[in-house]
Amino acid sequence: MAGEHLRDILFLCALQNAVKHGGVPQAGAVVGMVMSAHPEFRPRAKEIATLAKEAIADVAALSSDNRVAQLQARAPEMYDAIYVKHEHRTVLPDLESAEHGVVMRFAPNPSGPLHIGHARAAVLNDAYVKQYGGRYILRIEDTDPKRVDPKAYEMVKEDIGWLGLGITETVTQSERLPLYYDLCRQLIEKGGAYVCTCDNEHFRELKQAKTACPCRDQPVEKNLNLWEKMLDHTLKEGEVTVRIRTDLNHPDPAMRDFPAFRILDTPPHPKVKAHVYPLMNFSVVADDHLLGVTHVIRGKDHIANTRRQRYIYDHFGWKVPVYRHYGRMGIEGVVLSTSQMRLGINEGKFTGWDDIRLGTLRALARRGISPDAVKNAVLAIGIGDTDISFSWDNLYAENKKIVDPVANRYFFVPDPVTAQIDGAKPHTAHAMLHPGDAARGTRTLAFEGTVLLPGREITPDVTMIRLKDLFNVKITWNGSIPTFSYAGDSLAEARATKAHIIQWLPGQESVHCTILTQEGEMSGACEPRVKEELGKVVQFERVGFVKIDAVDNDGVRAYFTHT
Ligand code: GLU
């Protein structure tokens, strides 16, 4: 547009606005467009206001086909801009030392399926790998057999597939125990770790008093000998711990000579035969180093671990990855604790890991939340270190952007009552499958004398309604008994009398439909064609988006997604 005459600019802005929104634009909107695109005109505001009115009048005089043709001919880029959906990419802050690519990892414990809290780490790390290029490792951290659910290995992979993460390789820590054992031996030889046979309680007291335990200064040979006895199981569970030598004067007692390996006899590990297990801080450092991890994005709850892990890096003389710790995220309204979820499932309180009252990704999927909505919502939260609470509204808004353009529309009538409409001939309603996409066509609803109406909306104060896409109905009340009669086809008349526009179903043809929400069930009827939408999200008009979960001879079961 640069260099064009002000009058032309105003005309084109008015034209674009008219093509985009239909009808004739408001002067304020056109002036606003021009001022923001051309701040140099701001001093001429008064003149522009007058010229804008003229431009709008010129546009108003054109037929709508003519408007499109003129805009395409005179400013094709403005025409395209109406239809090009701008990719709204959330820009994450740069990571230092990432210019030449990154190696990052997502490291869940296989104790259950992934939930919305995991999605944050999973998606943020994924986004950075995509941004800088590199490898994205899925690392299954299963070195605590007490926290392993054998079924979770598969569930975690399914959840990652659903999220569409760009994982380039997968490692499972229980398959790498010999590597950790080897590093432990090296660390003992370097004097960075020792094998402690003190009673745990006694060690704790010494640690609180910043005092070394007798094992701390035993010779390397003795440590190596004890380590062999751990491995050959001469030493038993509870008798021994490998400790990392840190700083006994560290102000935080949790940093002082923290444990790195232990013996566990039970429960048996579902994948390997083992009894010596590394604790998280050791196996995480070993693998971050061995796998070449360059950047770690994880929650603030790991800050103390980052401090502990630095001691291990220093003993080995390894390069420390770049860390970012994001703030805590409170998530209300769903159950997230794996143990509570498991208990509830076992007790029959929840139907399974995808029960919609849970915060698992599979529960979100079940109720029609798309993986891209989860990703966008999580990216919008970002990696800031302020504590926040997760906004379901934002997730729903992201999801709505995705489902609204694709979901077909249908009528659902809650708690239906049958009404006979006197004086109406058979009619056929042609309701659009999608109001923004006429090409998708219509569904037909045949009226043959009776309709199903939402009982709760037919109250004695209602005397006129419009059955959507059909005709108007007059309601006459005899006490609490309504009589329904045909009152013409005119939508204008319905609008003039402010009649409620009501979704309805043909009395002779509907299917039973239950909508399950997090709070409970909503029972009603819907169009038979909804049965063809199994597995998809549709919009029940004036109710909200729902995912069609099951279809059988008894009808349809749907999960409520959001309004
Ligand atoms: N497996 C650890 C966890 O799920 C993650 C370890 C890490 O990110 O360093 O908490």
Side-chain angles (χ1 to χ4, degrees), residues 105-111 118 121 125 139-142 147 173 280-281 284-285 288 296-299 301-302 305-306 309 323 326:
R105 44 57 165 197
F106 173 51
N109 305 331
S111 51
H118 292 111
N125 283 285
R139 190 167 73 212
I140 309 278
E141 304 213 322
D142 60 343
R147 293 173 63 200
Q173 287 192 318
M280 180 184 71
N281 284 304
V284 161
V285 172
D288 282 347
V296 175
I297 313 272
R298 58 185 179 190
D301 47 332
H302 279 295
N305 290 325
T306 301
Q309 290 171 16
Y323 293 99
Y326 52 74

Side-chain angles (χ1 to χ4, degrees), residues 518-534:
Q518 284 175 311
E519 288 77 37
E521 282 185 22
M522 208 192 301
S523 170
C526 69
E527 297 174 39
R529 191 175 159 156
V530 172
K531 285 187 162 186
E532 291 165 30
E533 300 270 9
L534 180 62

Side-chain angles (χ1 to χ4, degrees), residues 331-348:
I331 303 171
E332 278 170 22
V334 287
V335 182
L336 277 184
S337 128
T338 308
S339 52
Q340 267 186 45
M341 293 197 264
R342 177 171 291 108
L343 190 70
I345 294 168
N346 291 342
E347 285 175 348

